Amino acid sequence: MENQYCKVGSVTPMTANRNVISLLEYQYQNFLEKAGNLEYTDAKLVEFFEQKAQKIQKILENMMK
């Protein structure tokens, strides 16, 4: 029996190609939309979505440099 190496949990770095940027832009807009839809119902969930959107925005800004 041969040893097998599993890559579960390994991380693939994101490069600044167009597919990654468009995916991050989509996720950013999606989190902002979710936060806007829940504005009057659940403040903690809105804060969570806004924080996620801010993190994605920082990643996008760093990729555009």
Side-chain angles (χ1 to χ4, degrees):
M1 193 152 90
E2 294 181 31
N3 289 338
Q4 295 181 0
Y5 298 99
C6 182
K7 291 186 177 184
V8 172
S10 65
V11 177
T12 303
M14 290 194 290
T15 58
N17 67 26
R18 186 67 196 144
N19 292 336
V20 172
I21 292 172
S22 62
L23 173 67
L24 289 172
E25 288 173 342
Y26 171 77
Q27 288 179 336
Y28 174 74
Q29 290 298 326
N30 192 20
F31 283 129
L32 287 180
E33 183 179 318
K34 286 180 181 181
N37 290 342
L38 296 173
E39 188 172 356
Y40 301 107
T41 57
D42 191 349
K44 292 213 181 254
L45 194 55
V46 169
E47 182 180 339
F48 171 78
F49 286 136
E50 287 174 346
Q51 287 176 352
K52 286 292 192 180
Q54 288 174 353
K55 287 180 183 179
I56 292 173
Q57 183 180 23
K58 287 179 185 179
I59 293 170
L60 282 168
E61 288 172 356
N62 289 335
M63 291 179 82
M64 297 295 186
K65 288 182 181 179

